[in-house]
Amino acid sequence: MNKDIYRNIAAVTAIFIISLSVMLITNYFQVRGVTPLQTEVVETLKLLNDTNPDNPELQEQIRQLDLLARRAYFIQADHLKLGVYILLGMVAVFVVCLRFYFKGEMHIPDKEIDPIDEWMLKSKSRKYITWSMFGLVGVSLFFVFLSSPFLATEKTESVAEETLIAESTQVEPDSEVIEPAIDIEEPMNEVIIDTTNDVTPVEEAFPATSEEPQPVVPKITHNAFRGNYSNGVSAAKGIPVKWDLGSGTNIAWKKEIPRPGHNSPIINGNHVFFTGADEQARELYCYDLTTGEQRWSLAATNIPGSPSVMPKVTEDTGLASSSVATDGNRVCAIFATGDVVCADMDGKQLWAKNLGVPDNHYGFVSSLLIFGNTLFIQYDNNKDPKLIALDVANGNQRWVKNRPGKICWSSPSIAYVNRKPQLILMGNPAITAYDPNSGEQLWQVDCMGGEVCSCPCSIDGVIFGANEYAKLVAINGADGKVLWESSDYLPEVSSPVATKDHLYVATSYGVLAAYDTKTGALAKEHELNVEFYSSPMIVEGKLYLFSNDGKMHIFSTDNEFNLLSSFETGERTMATPAFTDGKIVVRTEKSIYCVAMN
């Protein structure tokens, strides 16, 4: 190639390098001190919220604006990284062009040459300019490091971890970290944020005052089976440790359930959701958290493809064993017929569809999970097992992944690994991690067997799974490597739950065991001589667990792992309770009730 071309390319890239370096340095002075959690508008609205804390419309507006601010912040982070890559690429091009330009120029012949070439070859000033340019690049990279969002968020990383473990998203406007808003890597044109319907304008955020006192809307949500992300941990505070159905002590309300079902209740704001079904109808219910009154019900009817004859199911499974899921704007339910329905928070049906009647000899029980704008359904049946991702706004299929393996009854959960979300599914024979945005399989570990019903859990990037007639495993979510295994105590139906130090497993034959999360060593076990189908929940440093006979067991989750309290409630309970600040919602075989201090 002609040396003039190398020279000209080097000159252009040098100008580009200098310009981009100046832009990166300028960027530092523009963004320093700015965080995604402290935008002027959001902070102003938070001040307004302090003066009007019981306004759910204002809280929803804060949440949505906070979500938009976070997205913009992390888009800026991506642009900053792209700028660095371009800068380094241009430096590489500049060095290569200079290398080829000076190749063979150790001796300059005594002849007239181009003035630019003479300057390039003989002038000392070009050395100073070249080294100055490289110095500018180094300075710009230093300022990039200072202005990096990853550095800026380092101080709040522990808060992010705590918030992730606490699972307190969606309607918690004062939350410091809303993980889905940070880590869902979807194109912006696919993000469903309807500012017309979901965000109340500021002038409408303060409704006319009423003489009737308004109920306090809890900020802590329980948006799916076992809480947000289906991980078994809640950030709720002020939870009672004793109640009595017979005397009414600490019982806010109790209602008979309209139709049977083994699904667990969920809580969002002042809404309690659950389902019921029999041969006559399949229904989604919404109850008022404060009063216990039924707000509305929605029947799954007139759905194309829905069977006219109900599938055969066992008594302990039924037609409504799958727990519903919500994102605070919509609530979705699925039944053993394969019918999926989605409603808004006022009970208006948004969409419905039939996925095909599940080929399942016990009955379909996998619970739903909503993450971002996507509804996930683990559809592991005898024929054509698969993972289905639907757009929660309209029910359209986003992607579907066929799952090799056998039928199972487990439900999906979300784990964060290196601050990125993974969709974790247990099955027979494997535990598998997927990218929740694309459905790409990230890793798979063959370690399960038997009739898999238990669900996975996670902590600090480590995923735990266990099943009777298989084993208990701890998996590094970063690479899918098995960290340790155990077979001492294994669950049949109940799902494990983890803290930073201990993993807790409840067996169907009445043993509650604690394992060291780092080594897998059995720390302590309690033989309670009861049967556990309900899954343990960790709240305020305590483990709450119902046995099938309706007895509540409360343990400490410190190193002592002591039984703090146990008492009979009087009704068989196999569902997992839902928690929010100061309240527990419990579903039994016959009723649903709310526990609150009184």
Side-chain angles (χ1 to χ4, degrees), residues 63-361:
R63 186 182 74 84
Q64 292 287 358
L65 288 176
D66 188 60
L67 184 148
L68 290 172
R70 293 170 187 276
R71 288 189 182 279
Y73 182 73
F74 282 89
I75 288 174
Q76 185 267 339
D78 291 337
H79 290 171
L80 189 63
K81 288 192 291 183
L82 179 61
V84 172
Y85 295 149
I86 293 174
L87 178 62
L88 295 177
M90 291 297 100
V91 170
V93 172
F94 179 76
V95 171
V96 170
C97 287
L98 286 185
R99 178 77 175 177
F100 280 102
Y101 179 82
F102 287 112
K103 185 177 181 180
E105 295 293 346
M106 297 300 294
H107 174 70
I108 305 300
D110 295 329
K111 63 179 181 179
E112 184 176 350
I113 61 175
D114 186 279
I116 297 179
D117 286 334
E118 183 176 12
W119 179 83
M120 288 282 289
L121 296 171
K122 295 183 178 182
S123 174
K124 292 183 178 181
S125 61
R126 54 95 179 173
K127 294 183 179 180
Y128 300 142
I129 293 175
T130 302
W131 285 112
S132 297
M133 185 183 68
F134 280 117
L136 182 63
V137 170
V139 171
S140 68
L141 292 177
F142 173 72
F143 279 106
V144 166
F145 173 74
L146 292 181
S147 58
S148 169
F150 299 104
L151 180 65
T153 56
E154 184 178 358
K155 296 179 181 179
T156 61
E157 187 170 354
S158 61
V159 178
E161 291 292 334
E162 181 179 350
T163 306
L164 169 62
I165 296 171
E167 316 271 49
S168 56
T169 62
Q170 299 297 334
V171 295
E172 191 175 354
D174 294 327
S175 174
E176 286 295 305
V177 175
I178 302 179
E179 291 286 2
I182 293 176
D183 291 285
I184 299 177
E185 298 177 349
E186 297 180 356
M188 291 300 290
N189 61 355
E190 292 186 6
V191 178
I192 309 298
I193 302 177
D194 186 348
T195 55
T196 302
N197 298 320
D198 293 343
V199 181
T200 304
V202 174
E203 58 267 25
E204 296 180 3
F206 298 93
T209 58
S210 171
E211 294 181 359
E212 296 183 3
Q214 297 298 314
V216 177
V217 178
K219 296 179 180 179
I220 300 302
T221 63
H222 192 107
N223 286 339
F225 172 57
R226 300 196 303 151
N228 302 336
Y229 305 158
S230 188
N231 215 20
V233 184
S234 173
K237 303 294 183 184
I239 301 301
V241 294
K242 184 75 175 178
W243 60 91
D244 189 294
L245 282 174
S247 65
T249 302
N250 289 338
I251 301 298
W253 51 263
K254 178 185 175 185
K255 302 291 181 180
E256 295 296 314
I257 56 175
R259 297 185 190 276
H262 295 297
N263 59 89
S264 300
I266 69 170
I267 301 172
N268 186 284
N270 208 33
H271 304 78
V272 176
F273 298 105
F274 62 99
T275 62
D278 53 24
E279 292 290 333
Q280 285 70 47
R282 283 87 61 209
E283 295 176 325
L284 168 62
Y285 305 111
C286 176
Y287 278 47
D288 189 287
L289 176 64
T290 302
T291 66
E293 296 301 317
Q294 184 180 122
R295 288 188 169 193
W296 52 262
S297 65
L298 176 65
T301 58
N302 300 320
I303 301 175
S306 181
S308 57
V309 178
M310 295 298 99
K312 292 182 179 180
V313 295
T314 60
E315 183 178 352
D316 59 354
T317 299
L319 295 167
S321 281
S322 304
S323 298
V324 306
T326 182
D327 62 357
N329 296 312
R330 294 159 288 256
V331 57
C332 300
I334 188 171
F335 299 93
T337 55
D339 292 330
V340 184
V341 295
C342 182
D344 64 16
M345 303 302 273
D346 295 321
K348 177 184 177 182
Q349 181 173 305
L350 300 176
W351 56 267
K353 66 192 312 178
N354 183 270
L355 303 178
V357 179
D359 182 5
N360 194 308
H361 50 278

Side-chain angles (χ1 to χ4, degrees), residues 249-558:
T249 302
N250 289 338
I251 301 298
W253 51 263
K254 178 185 175 185
K255 302 291 181 180
E256 295 296 314
I257 56 175
R259 297 185 190 276
H262 295 297
N263 59 89
S264 300
I266 69 170
I267 301 172
N268 186 284
N270 208 33
H271 304 78
V272 176
F273 298 105
F274 62 99
T275 62
D278 53 24
E279 292 290 333
Q280 285 70 47
R282 283 87 61 209
E283 295 176 325
L284 168 62
Y285 305 111
C286 176
Y287 278 47
D288 189 287
L289 176 64
T290 302
T291 66
E293 296 301 317
Q294 184 180 122
R295 288 188 169 193
W296 52 262
S297 65
L298 176 65
T301 58
N302 300 320
I303 301 175
S306 181
S308 57
V309 178
M310 295 298 99
K312 292 182 179 180
V313 295
T314 60
E315 183 178 352
D316 59 354
T317 299
L319 295 167
S321 281
S322 304
S323 298
V324 306
T326 182
D327 62 357
N329 296 312
R330 294 159 288 256
V331 57
C332 300
I334 188 171
F335 299 93
T337 55
D339 292 330
V340 184
V341 295
C342 182
D344 64 16
M345 303 302 273
D346 295 321
K348 177 184 177 182
Q349 181 173 305
L350 300 176
W351 56 267
K353 66 192 312 178
N354 183 270
L355 303 178
V357 179
D359 182 5
N360 194 308
H361 50 278
Y362 294 138
F364 183 79
V365 303
S366 296
S367 294
L368 301 179
L369 181 65
I370 295 176
F371 185 70
N373 300 318
T374 305
L375 171 67
F376 295 106
I377 306 171
Q378 184 172 353
Y379 221 55
D380 287 348
N381 301 302
N382 277 317
K383 297 179 180 178
D384 192 26
K386 54 192 171 184
L387 169 62
I388 303 171
L390 302 179
D391 189 320
V392 72
N394 51 37
N396 293 338
Q397 181 177 293
R398 289 195 162 187
W399 50 261
V400 62
K401 292 293 179 181
N402 293 324
R403 285 173 47 78
K406 301 178 181 179
I407 186 174
C408 81
W409 295 263
S410 183
S411 302
S413 71
I414 292 289
Y416 272 83
V417 180
N418 296 328
R419 305 182 68 196
K420 295 290 184 181
Q422 294 186 3
L423 180 64
I424 309 297
L425 272 68
M426 283 179 51
N428 182 359
I431 299 177
T432 309
Y434 299 89
D435 183 329
N437 300 293
S438 65
E440 175 190 0
Q441 180 177 305
L442 303 176
W443 51 261
Q444 187 174 79
V445 177
D446 288 347
C447 55
M448 291 291 103
E451 295 183 331
V452 179
C453 186
S454 177
C455 306
C457 69
S458 62
I459 189 75
D460 292 339
V462 178
I463 287 80
F464 302 94
N467 190 64
E468 199 169 41
Y469 307 115
K471 52 189 169 184
L472 167 64
V473 296
I475 302 170
N476 184 346
D479 55 17
K481 298 291 182 62
V482 175
L483 301 176
W484 54 262
E485 299 179 355
S486 178
S487 56
D488 292 322
Y489 297 106
L490 300 171
E492 180 186 5
V493 178
S494 180
S495 301
V497 65
T499 64
K500 185 176 181 180
D501 298 316
H502 293 102
L503 174 73
Y504 301 93
V505 175
T507 71
S508 60
Y509 46 87
V511 175
L512 179 63
Y515 293 85
D516 187 298
T517 55
K518 304 297 189 301
T519 65
L522 181 63
K524 190 175 181 179
E525 73 269 17
H526 291 274
E527 295 187 8
L528 302 171
N529 298 317
V530 290
E531 189 176 26
F532 293 116
Y533 278 10
S534 177
S535 294
M537 289 289 300
I538 293 178
V539 192
E540 288 191 300
K542 295 182 283 289
L543 184 148
Y544 289 72
L545 177 62
F546 270 107
S547 53
N548 290 6
D549 57 6
K551 189 174 184 179
M552 168 54 69
H553 308 266
I554 304 176
F555 292 85
S556 66
T557 57
D558 55 17

